[in-house]
Amino acid sequence: MTLYNQQMIKLLLFLITLTTSVYALEIVQKPISFSEHRKALTLQYINTHYGLTPDDITITPQVIVVHFTAIPTLQGSFEAFNSEELPSSRKDIAAKSASVNVSVAYLVDRDGTIYQLMPENWMGRHVIGLNYSSIGIENVGKLGNLTEKQAEANIALISYLQHKYSSIGYLIGHSNYRCFEESALWLEKDKSYRTQKEDPGEAFMHKLRSSITGLKKAPCK
Ligand SMILES: [Zn+2]
């Protein structure tokens, strides 16, 4: 074998290792309860809030929305999403009749472990106006205390999703969701249905953006 060939093989092996380390993402399956009842409640939400009548709850992801749970543990965070119906304690967004509980596709623990809670192309309820076009990523923690491991895991997960779905064009923090009110993606019909959000915080989003390219910020004026 010539020296040139040996070098080419070394380069090839290096590229394979690099590609594997970027795309070999470990995702732990930890499904929340999502029976036919929850699907029906989701369809009801799509109808009531968005005026749409699709046959199923499949979405085309266009936005990634990053959150924190404001709950200190993985188990506590998981339980908040596991119930199928919105608990009456969620007075900020609860309706009078049974309503679908909040959920996201991914939950990142403080040690950076990524858990998948539901299929990423099913609609979760996690962001007013944009549920029908977005994938939600929750992080266990609160403002200012998200970990480096979580930032690294979010970057790897976002990069994985970005390559899996060419339809994804935006990366936003939950606190920026209202910037979409004038955009074609915004679907919420009730003008009084809004919440004030601070998650996941500018510093955390800045960290993600410094490693992710090709995704736009929220279209704020
Ligand atoms: Zn949030």
Short mmCIF file of all heavy atoms in Angstrom, two decimals, residues 32-33 38 78-87 100-103:
data_model
loop_
_atom_site.label_atom_id
_atom_site.label_comp_id
_atom_site.label_asym_id
_atom_site.label_seq_id
_atom_site.Cartn_x
_atom_site.Cartn_y
_atom_site.Cartn_z
N ILE A 32 -44.75 8.89 27.66
CA ILE A 32 -45.86 9.34 28.51
C ILE A 32 -47.12 8.63 28.03
O ILE A 32 -47.16 8.09 26.92
CB ILE A 32 -46.05 10.88 28.45
CG1 ILE A 32 -46.13 11.35 26.99
CG2 ILE A 32 -44.98 11.60 29.22
CD1 ILE A 32 -46.52 12.81 26.83
N SER A 33 -48.14 8.65 28.85
CA SER A 33 -49.41 8.04 28.48
C SER A 33 -50.03 8.82 27.31
O SER A 33 -50.23 10.03 27.41
CB SER A 33 -50.35 8.07 29.70
OG SER A 33 -51.57 7.50 29.36
N ARG A 38 -56.19 10.71 24.63
CA ARG A 38 -55.33 11.89 24.53
C ARG A 38 -55.26 12.39 23.08
O ARG A 38 -55.21 13.59 22.83
CB ARG A 38 -53.92 11.59 25.06
CG ARG A 38 -53.07 12.84 25.26
CD ARG A 38 -51.77 12.52 25.97
NE ARG A 38 -51.09 13.72 26.41
CZ ARG A 38 -50.25 13.78 27.44
NH1 ARG A 38 -50.00 12.71 28.15
NH2 ARG A 38 -49.66 14.91 27.77
N PHE A 78 -41.45 14.54 34.40
CA PHE A 78 -42.13 13.50 33.64
C PHE A 78 -43.60 13.41 34.05
O PHE A 78 -44.49 13.35 33.19
CB PHE A 78 -41.43 12.14 33.87
CG PHE A 78 -42.11 10.99 33.16
CD1 PHE A 78 -41.84 10.74 31.82
CD2 PHE A 78 -43.02 10.18 33.82
CE1 PHE A 78 -42.47 9.69 31.15
CE2 PHE A 78 -43.67 9.14 33.17
CZ PHE A 78 -43.38 8.90 31.83
N GLU A 79 -43.84 13.44 35.35
CA GLU A 79 -45.21 13.33 35.85
C GLU A 79 -46.08 14.51 35.39
O GLU A 79 -47.28 14.35 35.17
CB GLU A 79 -45.22 13.22 37.38
CG GLU A 79 -44.88 11.80 37.83
CD GLU A 79 -44.44 11.70 39.28
OE1 GLU A 79 -44.68 12.66 40.04
OE2 GLU A 79 -43.84 10.66 39.64
N ALA A 80 -45.47 15.67 35.25
CA ALA A 80 -46.23 16.84 34.81
C ALA A 80 -46.79 16.65 33.40
O ALA A 80 -47.82 17.20 33.05
CB ALA A 80 -45.34 18.08 34.85
N PHE A 81 -46.10 15.83 32.59
CA PHE A 81 -46.54 15.59 31.20
C PHE A 81 -47.31 14.28 31.04
O PHE A 81 -47.97 14.08 30.03
CB PHE A 81 -45.33 15.56 30.26
CG PHE A 81 -44.48 16.79 30.32
CD1 PHE A 81 -43.12 16.71 30.62
CD2 PHE A 81 -45.02 18.04 30.09
CE1 PHE A 81 -42.34 17.84 30.68
CE2 PHE A 81 -44.25 19.18 30.15
CZ PHE A 81 -42.90 19.08 30.45
N ASN A 82 -47.21 13.40 32.01
CA ASN A 82 -47.75 12.04 31.86
C ASN A 82 -49.28 11.98 31.88
O ASN A 82 -49.88 11.19 31.15
CB ASN A 82 -47.16 11.13 32.93
CG ASN A 82 -47.41 9.67 32.63
OD1 ASN A 82 -47.43 9.26 31.47
ND2 ASN A 82 -47.62 8.89 33.67
N SER A 83 -49.92 12.80 32.71
CA SER A 83 -51.40 12.78 32.75
C SER A 83 -51.94 13.17 31.39
O SER A 83 -51.40 14.06 30.75
CB SER A 83 -51.95 13.78 33.76
OG SER A 83 -51.14 13.84 34.88
N GLU A 84 -53.02 12.54 30.98
CA GLU A 84 -53.56 12.82 29.65
C GLU A 84 -54.37 14.11 29.62
O GLU A 84 -54.39 14.83 28.62
CB GLU A 84 -54.42 11.64 29.19
CG GLU A 84 -53.60 10.36 29.10
CD GLU A 84 -54.06 9.43 28.00
OE1 GLU A 84 -55.27 9.44 27.70
OE2 GLU A 84 -53.22 8.72 27.44
N GLU A 85 -55.02 14.40 30.75
CA GLU A 85 -55.84 15.63 30.80
C GLU A 85 -55.11 16.71 31.61
O GLU A 85 -54.41 16.39 32.56
CB GLU A 85 -57.20 15.33 31.45
CG GLU A 85 -58.04 14.41 30.59
CD GLU A 85 -59.43 14.17 31.18
OE1 GLU A 85 -59.80 14.86 32.13
OE2 GLU A 85 -60.12 13.27 30.66
N LEU A 86 -55.33 17.94 31.23
CA LEU A 86 -54.72 19.06 31.93
C LEU A 86 -55.25 19.11 33.37
O LEU A 86 -56.46 19.15 33.58
CB LEU A 86 -55.09 20.36 31.21
CG LEU A 86 -54.33 21.62 31.61
CD1 LEU A 86 -52.90 21.56 31.11
CD2 LEU A 86 -55.03 22.84 31.06
N PRO A 87 -54.35 19.08 34.37
CA PRO A 87 -54.85 19.13 35.75
C PRO A 87 -55.47 20.50 36.06
O PRO A 87 -55.07 21.50 35.47
CB PRO A 87 -53.59 18.89 36.60
CG PRO A 87 -52.44 19.04 35.70
CD PRO A 87 -52.91 19.01 34.28
N VAL A 100 -56.65 18.68 26.74
CA VAL A 100 -55.43 17.86 26.65
C VAL A 100 -54.32 18.47 27.51
O VAL A 100 -54.15 19.68 27.56
CB VAL A 100 -54.99 17.69 25.17
CG1 VAL A 100 -54.49 19.00 24.57
CG2 VAL A 100 -53.94 16.59 25.04
N ASN A 101 -53.58 17.60 28.18
CA ASN A 101 -52.48 18.08 29.03
C ASN A 101 -51.29 18.54 28.17
O ASN A 101 -51.17 18.17 27.02
CB ASN A 101 -52.02 16.95 29.98
CG ASN A 101 -51.09 17.46 31.06
OD1 ASN A 101 -51.06 18.66 31.38
ND2 ASN A 101 -50.30 16.57 31.65
N VAL A 102 -50.42 19.30 28.79
CA VAL A 102 -49.20 19.76 28.11
C VAL A 102 -48.24 18.59 27.90
O VAL A 102 -48.23 17.65 28.69
CB VAL A 102 -48.49 20.89 28.90
CG1 VAL A 102 -49.33 22.15 28.89
CG2 VAL A 102 -48.19 20.45 30.33
N SER A 103 -47.46 18.65 26.82
CA SER A 103 -46.44 17.62 26.56
C SER A 103 -45.45 18.11 25.52
O SER A 103 -45.73 19.07 24.78
CB SER A 103 -47.09 16.33 26.07
OG SER A 103 -47.62 16.49 24.77
#
